[in-house]
Amino acid sequence: MQRFVTSFVVTLIVALGASAGMARAQQRPPNSVPLAFGMSADQASQSLGVALNYVRGTPGNELFVALPNVRGSVLSRRSDGLYLQFGRGRLIAWKGDWGTNPP
């Protein structure tokens, strides 16, 4: 019985630590500007706090993906990217949501 209680307490502590770590990973850094239409690729990258990776497109009309920075957390399930579509060098659309966790 004591082994079960000890195992349960350790599991609970690990679970609470993982949820706190995921909450910290999803917070925007202080003094950052929220993502908005009309931003350049550099401004969007600074806003998200991660580098943008080229997917396809011609210069000025590219599609980039930004992968979330979970800081190496083994217990994190965040692996989806935020896709950013640029037209004439400005952000015109994005797809994906870093604000929610998948089920």
Side-chain angles (χ1 to χ4, degrees):
M1 180 70 174
Q2 184 179 5
R3 186 178 285 168
F4 172 76
V5 172
T6 303
S7 175
F8 177 75
V9 170
V10 169
T11 304
L12 183 63
I13 290 170
V14 169
L16 291 175
S19 65
M22 285 176 45
R24 277 193 302 272
Q26 292 178 359
Q27 291 176 350
R28 275 199 333 250
N31 302 327
S32 70
V33 178
L35 195 62
F37 293 111
M39 288 183 156
S40 67
D42 291 334
Q43 291 170 333
S45 177
Q46 289 175 353
S47 173
L48 295 171
V50 296
L52 300 181
N53 299 308
Y54 174 82
V55 176
R56 66 173 182 248
T58 59
N61 297 313
E62 297 101 347
L63 177 66
F64 290 99
V65 64
L67 299 173
N69 183 2
V70 293
R71 300 181 190 199
S73 175
V74 175
L75 301 174
S76 178
R77 294 176 21 204
R78 303 298 304 177
S79 62
D80 55 334
L82 181 66
Y83 290 88
L84 305 166
Q85 177 68 51
F86 289 85
R88 297 183 186 164
R90 298 291 172 197
L91 183 62
I92 59 173
W94 65 82
K95 182 178 181 179
D97 187 5
W98 285 359
T100 59
N101 288 325

